[in-house]
Each structure stands twice: as structure tokens, then as C-alpha cells.
Amino acid sequence: RMRVYGTLEKNVKEISATVPSSRNYDPSNRLLRRISKRFSQELIRRRSSFVEALPETPRGWAVLIAALSSLILSYEINLQKSLTAPPMVFCQLADDLMTNIYQRLSGNPDSIFSRNINPSLFVGTRGAVASTAAFLGGGPSAGGYTRFREVVVMSQDGAQVALDWELPVSDTPAFKEAALKGPLPKNLILILHGINNDADFGYMRSLMRVCTKRGWAAVGMNFRGCGGLSLSTPRSYNGAYTGDIRCVVQILGSRLASGFSMFLVGNSLGANLMTKYLGEEGRGETLPKFVAGGISLGNPVSIHSKHIIFPWGHLLSLGARKGVVENLLTLRKMKSSYYQKRLRMALLASTMGEFDEALAPIFIKNNTYPPYQYEIGYEDGESYWHDGSSYRYIRHINVPLLQLSSQDDFLIASSSASKLHYSLSNPNVMVVNTRCGGHLGWHESSPDTDSIFGFGTSWADTATTAFIDAILKGKLEIAKGGEKAINFSARKQAANLKSKL
């Protein structure tokens, strides 16, 4: 029963306000509540069924874990088999030297460019994991090899750059003296690191060790402000300025003994800078005679913010801002209000594109023609990216260059593929593309060992040293008149490949 107090009109209004109107009532709400209730009941039922299905004894757990491990391993082995393949090689073979190099690297089934690349399980089979292992791995220990650091001053602006040396284990203290003052009776490999890295990263140390095992001297060049050596001037490195490489090459080249060569190896952003340097020097016909070749590993070729997808642009920006913070005391010495404004904008940047846009007007740069004079500032980020993209200079390189990249490289695969024709237009460039490897990873189960797990060895390190060795032997053979003995079947293979394409 309902007792009604007060006036009839007032109570009628109160009752109608408490009862849902048929016009406002939505039957779909009731349906949604029923579906939600049934779904919750089904989840509870399945959860209880799953818990009941779990083993109750240690032996049962052991069987379950073994079965799951077997399934995972089986999947991984099948993935490894699908990724195992030889690399794709593109080159023109327009002269005797490149033909000789190609034949040495691809002439038989066991050659580095003919045999299969067998990625290591759980690491080499996944590009992101292989890249992480390359960056975070500690690299080999000293183990009797001579290691020391040299700090050199750049002639352009007085900036300091740290050079980390590694000499073969058999070298006496006299070789260290020769490395610092000359003459150095060894071939010299100058290695450049990637963005936000330094010469102490695992992939750098690994490559230096492979070089010194062959009896060569290896030098890891730290860009200005990197490697624990703070900036001595308020100008940091960037992806377009080649002045520091030019200065270091001249300093080290002046110490080489007669008859010995220098090779440049670049990784990621360092590869872009190295390629740009060789192109500038080749166009100006100013490349030193002792520079015999270059190796470009994971080169983006075209640097632009649009090529860096999420989340890599944000992660690279974090590393770049960290570098600014570490050198903030030096950067603060520049009293220009415009400079400090740009610095604050860079610290607030969330992506690498925003970071470059902020600092482009105060970046250092060099003229790309002799005498490569030192300059300051770009109009904007687009101008900086255009000037720093090495694909514009590849056609001018006049020494053998190996350009190595991977199809699963999440940072540079698309940008390097889009500019492939620039590399192929130069007969001195050999382009090698692998099915797997990630960004500077290339961990493989070496054919010299039985191991199929773990980090493995770097196939790129082996390919790099094999390419350098092929150049040295090829030039020696040609100098002795051995060009007549070259096996020209390599040219036939290239012609057949071209017809198929």
C-alpha cells in the first residue's frame, strides 16, 4: 500500500519522478547487463577449470615444463631454418679490383657471401633482441691485447676527441710508441660508433677484437662529447658534420708507415658520416692515398624524422637529451640568448625529429667542397637532414665500399631500401643485404662451433674483416700483374643475376 500525504498534484509529481518513464527506458541496458553477467560467470568457470587442470605433483610439473620447452624450442628451430640463407649481393664489377674482391668473397660455397647465415637461437632470430644484445653486450675483455686512450685536438675549433686504441696481443711496447708518434708498420682500422653510443659499446669492442686478431691496429673514435670525455667547446657532434673525421684521418694517416693502408668502418649514424666523408673527398679529389676502402654497417643513408617510427624516435631522443645534460656545464658557457633558447627547446623535445629541429640552427657543419670550411647553423631541420643524408654523396666515392644492411632492421631498412639505386649507380660500391640481423646485431651460430644458442658471433664482423682482407690481397695481386689470372666467372654470375632481375 502507498500512503499519500499532501496535495494530490504534488504527490503525483514525486511518484512520477521516482518511476522510470517508458520513453526513457532502454532495453539494451538490460541486455548488456545480462551479457556481462554471463561473461563473468564463464571466465570464473574457465579459470577454475584451468586451475584444476594444472599438475598437482612435482613430476607432473616437470612433464608440463618439458612439453612447453619442447614446443618453444621446436618453433624457434623452425624460425631459424626459415631465416637461414646466404646474403644478397649487388655490385657492378666494372673494374678488375671489384671483380677480384667479389670473387674472393663469393667464389666458392664456403665464402662469406656464398654460405648461409645461420642466426643464433632466441637472439639472432629476432631483430630487436639481436640489436639489444649488440648494444648492451660488454664485448671481449683486454685479454693481453694492448688498450689505451689518446685525446686529440680538432684543428677547426679546438674540440677534443678521444681515440680508444687496441693493438694485437703480440705487439711490444714499441708499437704503442709507434701508434702515437709513428711510423706505424700496420694497417689501421678506424671505427665509428652510432648515435648516443661510444667506442666502449659491445659491438665496437667486438669488431676491434676481430681486427686485431688479424694483426691490424684498431681505433675506436668517440665523437666529441662521447666516451666519458666532456665537451671542451659548446658544439656537439651531429649527423652531418664530417670535419672531425677528416681531422682524425689526417692525424692518424701521418703516422702510418709507407706501404700500409687505413680503412674506415662506420656503424649506424657513424656509417652515414663515414659515407658522406668519403663522398665529399671523392668529389673533391682530396681523399688521402692511404685510405683504401670503407665499410658501412646499418647506414640509414637518408636521415629524416619521418623514417624513425614509434617508439624509436622517443628512445633516441632520450639518449640525445641525456648527452646534452651530461655536457650542460660546457654548453651553458655560450651566453647567446638564442643559443640557450634552442638548448631549452632540445631538452623539452619528445622525439628525435623535434630534437634536431631545435638544434639545427646552432649545429656545426662544413662546406661539402674543398677546403671544407667550418660553418655554423642550418635554416631548419629539413636543411640539416638534407645535408646529412649520405645517399647524395655515394656516387662520388672512389674507393671500394661495402654497404651492409638487414631486412629486419627496424631503424634503417625502409630508408636504405628507398635509396638503393644511388648505391648501385657507383661501381665502387658493393651492397649486401641479409635476411636477418636487426640493427648492428647479426648474431649467428658460427660454422666453426657447434653452438646454436645465445649471443653467438657477429657475422658482420667476419664480413668486414673479409672485405678488408680482399681489398689488400686484390690490390697486391693486381700490382704484381695478377689481373690476368683473375677468374672472370664472377662477371658472368653478375650478368646472369641481372638478367633474372
Side-chain angles (χ1 to χ4, degrees):
R1 294 181 179 180
M2 179 182 297
R3 292 187 177 183
V4 180
Y5 299 92
T7 61
L8 178 61
E9 181 180 358
K10 178 181 179 180
N11 290 327
V12 168
K13 290 181 180 180
E14 290 178 355
I15 293 173
S16 63
T18 59
V19 178
S21 172
S22 59
R23 289 176 299 176
N24 297 330
Y25 179 69
D26 186 0
S28 63
N29 291 334
R30 184 177 181 183
L31 179 61
L32 287 174
R33 285 195 298 269
R34 286 183 178 179
I35 294 174
S36 176
K37 184 177 180 180
R38 289 184 180 180
F39 184 70
S40 299
Q41 292 174 349
E42 183 67 17
L43 282 179
I44 294 173
R45 185 184 66 80
R46 293 194 176 188
R47 186 182 303 167
S48 61
S49 300
F50 175 75
V51 172
E52 292 175 358
L54 292 175
E56 298 180 355
T57 63
R59 180 177 296 179
W61 277 105
V63 171
L64 177 61
I65 293 173
L68 291 176
S69 301
S70 177
L71 288 174
I72 294 173
L73 183 60
S74 176
Y75 172 80
E76 192 69 18
I77 290 175
N78 288 331
L79 178 61
Q80 182 191 53
K81 290 180 179 179
S82 67
L83 295 174
T84 299
M88 293 186 294
V89 183
F90 306 90
C91 58
Q92 291 192 35
L93 303 182
D95 60 21
D96 291 334
L97 179 57
M98 290 303 293
T99 302
N100 193 306
I101 293 170
Y102 178 82
Q103 183 63 23
R104 291 180 183 278
L105 301 177
S106 306
N108 61 72
D110 295 328
S111 300
I112 187 67
F113 292 160
S114 297
R115 68 170 177 85
N116 287 334
I117 302 175
N118 191 30
S120 59
L121 294 179
F122 302 105
V123 178
T125 53
R126 289 167 173 79
V129 179
S131 305
T132 303
F135 282 86
L136 301 183
S141 60
Y145 290 80
T146 303
R147 287 181 176 178
F148 58 93
R149 168 167 286 194
E150 176 187 8
V151 178
V152 295
V153 179
M154 302 295 97
S155 59
Q156 303 92 334
D157 61 350
Q160 293 183 338
V161 169
L163 304 178
D164 291 335
W165 285 79
E166 181 168 305
L167 300 177
V169 69
S170 60
D171 286 357
T172 63
F175 278 96
K176 179 179 179 180
E177 188 72 13
L180 293 173
K181 298 181 180 179
L184 178 63
K186 288 185 179 295
N187 293 307
L188 181 62
I189 317 300
L190 179 63
I191 308 173
L192 314 178
H193 61 77
I195 188 173
N196 302 333
N197 300 163
D198 56 56
D200 200 41
F201 270 62
Y203 68 91
M204 291 285 290
R205 286 296 182 187
S206 174
L207 181 54
M208 292 171 70
R209 178 58 50 84
V210 174
C211 292
T212 51
K213 280 184 176 180
R214 285 183 174 259
W216 307 326
V219 179
M221 174 183 170
N222 296 279
F223 299 146
R224 53 173 68 192
C226 299
L229 183 64
S230 300
L231 282 173
S232 55
T233 68
R235 304 291 179 183
S236 62
Y237 79 95
N238 59 67
Y241 179 62
T242 59
D244 289 349
I245 300 176
R246 186 170 287 106
C247 186
V248 170
V249 167
Q250 292 289 350
I251 291 173
L252 298 182
S254 65
R255 305 175 190 172
L256 281 177
S258 178
F260 292 91
S261 302
M262 178 187 295
F263 295 86
L264 308 183
V265 183
N267 295 274
S268 192
L269 186 68
N272 184 76
L273 285 168
M274 182 271 297
T275 303
K276 184 173 184 282
Y277 162 75
L278 291 178
E280 290 174 349
E281 296 284 342
R283 182 173 60 184
E285 298 182 353
T286 55
L287 185 68
K289 297 297 183 182
F290 54 79
V291 177
I295 296 89
S296 169
L297 306 176
N299 185 357
V301 181
S302 174
I303 59 173
H304 197 287
S305 63
K306 67 181 181 182
H307 297 317
I308 308 176
I309 60 175
F310 179 84
W312 311 116
H314 295 74
L315 295 177
L316 291 176
S317 174
L318 284 174
R321 284 179 286 162
K322 176 177 175 290
V324 172
V325 171
E326 290 174 346
N327 293 280
L328 200 56
L329 290 178
T330 302
L331 297 174
R332 288 292 188 187
K333 293 179 181 179
M334 180 68 76
K335 301 303 181 182
S336 167
S337 59
Y338 181 74
Y339 181 95
Q340 295 301 326
K341 174 187 175 182
R342 288 290 171 175
L343 204 60
R344 288 192 295 270
M345 291 172 61
L347 290 173
L348 295 174
S350 60
T351 65
M352 200 62 213
E354 294 176 1
F355 183 87
D356 288 343
E357 284 277 6
L359 293 185
I362 59 175
F363 270 154
I364 53 173
K365 64 178 182 179
N366 60 272
N367 194 301
T368 58
Y369 290 89
Y372 313 108
Q373 63 264 28
Y374 181 96
E375 300 174 358
I376 300 291
Y378 294 92
E379 292 183 6
D380 51 25
E382 289 288 343
S383 300
Y384 161 64
W385 295 324
H386 178 72
D387 181 52
S389 295
S390 60
Y391 76 88
R392 301 174 53 239
Y393 307 90
I394 288 179
R395 69 186 68 182
H396 305 296
I397 295 176
N398 55 8
V399 292
L401 174 71
L402 173 64
Q403 183 176 315
L404 181 58
S405 61
S406 172
Q407 295 177 19
D408 64 348
D409 191 324
F410 48 87
L411 280 180
I412 63 97
S414 60
S415 61
S416 62
S418 65
K419 305 299 181 182
L420 179 61
H421 56 287
Y422 286 92
S423 300
L424 298 181
S425 67
N426 189 335
N428 295 308
V429 178
M430 182 178 293
V431 179
V432 177
N433 187 252
T434 62
R435 185 172 295 182
C436 58
H439 190 64
L440 306 181
W442 286 293
H443 293 279
E444 73 161 342
S445 301
S446 175
D448 299 331
T449 65
D450 296 329
S451 175
I452 60 173
F453 297 96
F455 295 99
T457 58
S458 174
W459 179 87
D461 291 353
T462 307
T464 297
T465 53
F467 186 75
I468 294 173
D469 187 64
I471 294 175
L472 293 172
K473 291 180 178 178
K475 294 181 71 174
L476 182 62
E477 183 177 341
I478 292 175
K480 291 181 178 180
E483 64 271 19
K484 296 179 181 179
I486 294 175
N487 186 347
F488 286 94
S489 64
R491 293 183 178 177
K492 295 180 181 179
Q493 295 174 15
N496 293 335
L497 177 61
K498 184 177 180 180
S499 64
K500 291 179 181 178
L501 293 177

